[in-house]
Amino acid sequence: MSTENEGNAVPPAPSAPPVPVASPAVSPQGPAPEGDAPTAPLPPVPQDTPAAAQAPAHQASPSGPAPDGSWPPPPPSTPSYGDGGAGGFGGAGGAGWGASYQQPAPKPRSGRGGVVAAVLAAALVAGGLGGGLGYTLAKNNDSSGSTTVSASDSSASQVKRAPGTIANVAAKALPSTVTIEAESSNGEGGTGTGFVFDTQGHIVTNNHVVADAVDGGKLTATFPDGKRYDAQIVGHAQGYDVAVIKLKNAPSDLKPLALGDSDRVAVGDETIAIGAPFGLSNTVTTGIISAKNRPVASSDGSSSSKASYMSALQTDASINPGNSGGPLLDASGAVIGINSAIQSSSSGGFGSGQSGSIGLGFAIPINQAKNVAQQLIKTGKPVYAKIGASVSLGDSGDGAKITDQGSGGAAPVESGGPADKAGLKPGDVITKLDDHVIDSGPTLIGEIWTHEPGDKVTITYKRGGEEHTVDLTLGTREGDN
């Protein structure tokens, strides 16, 4: 599956675990606060890649050592780069997969502004032309007897936008969203989205949205009313693709968006996405939850970055480059996810050379993102759950196989780690984590990261053709290094 983060193409992901037949009923979410975006297209899947349900699966190379399953493997050795280029696959030992988003070559900010300005100018010209034609036609047909009826001002003011309508949700949520501009020290960068997390001025977004500003860059956040604030990075988690920034001189009247419960979301629930697609700030789109627990992996394409993994919410709400980091809301206006990636079939959207939405968008579940954000605010560093074993990243469809050799020559099963204590050995194939089917190493990593260190999980695995079940307590790893 190919996905995008603000112009970064993502490679195909393995097929997702099946969604339970009986979806839990959605409980009422917390009330939305009162008061009044970079996704990256996934690169095309290689021609020799077999197709899988919903998302193409990458055929991994069997050679070389396997990456460490307790932490995202190193990024693809030959990542694709550029606008709509073919997706690069691989990783340590040539084992690669998933939807890795790629950061295209940075463009001066003025380039994006030019695109928006051109669109607005075209609209103004078209509007002027239409008005002139309308006046001429009306004058020439003055005696035709044709009449029109206009709605009265009182009728327009009586339109009811009850709670739960898209217009009502948008009116309440928009004032708590921001358009983020990240600029590197050399003056290049991009645009994304974020939303107010608390009254202290913390804004939650994607890691890849702020990546350009990590080392000595500049961040700004602009609200829909035009108020603009400088911001600084509080913490960022490359593996989760979550970041927290804080407004400098934050206003005292910030209204955080209410957070929902992504575990209780059901397929078919209505969704509302807010972001800045192609730089068009404060854009609202709608759709539904198309699937849950969709395994997605992404990478910014740089040689130093690690992959990001998520067990994503899939939505058909229109999401484009610039939407990344923005909130995915439910029908009550509560945040259920952070828009992070899209799958795209071609390049060249909106005159920018970037791919656009084809109705396959992916969001980080808010339950996971909330825990990550709170950890970043507390310590500035992410914490990851792990089982302490290296697994193959090949999408065999049979499960996640513990490799014979760990990353960098390390032991495939960490001595004294959770997997070791549970009796797991190299060659074991993990097929389930609790009640979630595991069809590949990336799927396993994504599922593990929906948990917190210390959580107890049940692992189902095969050894010598026989199935076994064991309980283990997840370990911990701090930081992205």
Side-chain angles (χ1 to χ4, degrees), residues 56 199 430:
T199 57
I430 298 174

Side-chain angles (χ1 to χ4, degrees), residues 218-289:
K218 179 182 178 181
L219 278 177
T220 59
T222 305
F223 285 84
D225 62 5
K227 293 181 180 178
R228 184 185 183 93
Y229 298 86
D230 289 332
Q232 61 187 14
I233 298 175
V234 173
H236 60 104
Q238 207 168 38
Y240 294 119
D241 197 16
V242 173
V244 176
I245 66 175
K246 187 174 183 179
L247 304 178
K248 297 179 180 179
N249 300 315
S252 59
D253 59 349
L254 289 175
K255 295 181 179 179
L257 290 182
L259 304 183
D261 184 351
S262 52
D263 289 341
R264 299 183 67 84
V265 170
V267 173
D269 282 351
E270 292 180 322
T271 57
I272 301 170
I274 298 178
F278 298 103
L280 301 176
S281 301
N282 316 318
T283 295
V284 177
T285 57
T286 64
I288 63 168
I289 292 293

Side-chain angles (χ1 to χ4, degrees), residues 83 107 111-112 114-116 119 278 347-355:
D83 297 330
K107 300 178 181 178
R112 179 179 290 104
V115 172
V116 176
V119 174
F278 298 103
S347 63
F350 211 43
S352 67
Q354 294 176 319
S355 299

Side-chain angles (χ1 to χ4, degrees), residues 277-305:
F278 298 103
L280 301 176
S281 301
N282 316 318
T283 295
V284 177
T285 57
T286 64
I288 63 168
I289 292 293
S290 305
K292 296 177 62 176
N293 305 315
R294 184 71 73 193
V296 174
S298 58
S299 169
D300 65 10
S302 68
S303 60
S304 61
S305 70

Side-chain angles (χ1 to χ4, degrees), residues 262 265 289 291-294 311-315 328 336-337 361-363 365:
S262 52
V265 170
I289 292 293
K292 296 177 62 176
N293 305 315
R294 184 71 73 193
S311 184
L313 295 176
Q314 181 181 326
T315 180
L328 184 68
I336 54 175
F362 304 94

Side-chain angles (χ1 to χ4, degrees), residues 9-11 43-44 46 58 61 74-82 85-98 100-102 299-305:
V10 187
H58 171 62
S61 167
S77 55
T78 56
S80 59
Y81 196 79
F89 301 88
W97 82 289
S100 78
Y101 65 77
Q102 289 174 224
S299 169
D300 65 10
S302 68
S303 60
S304 61
S305 70

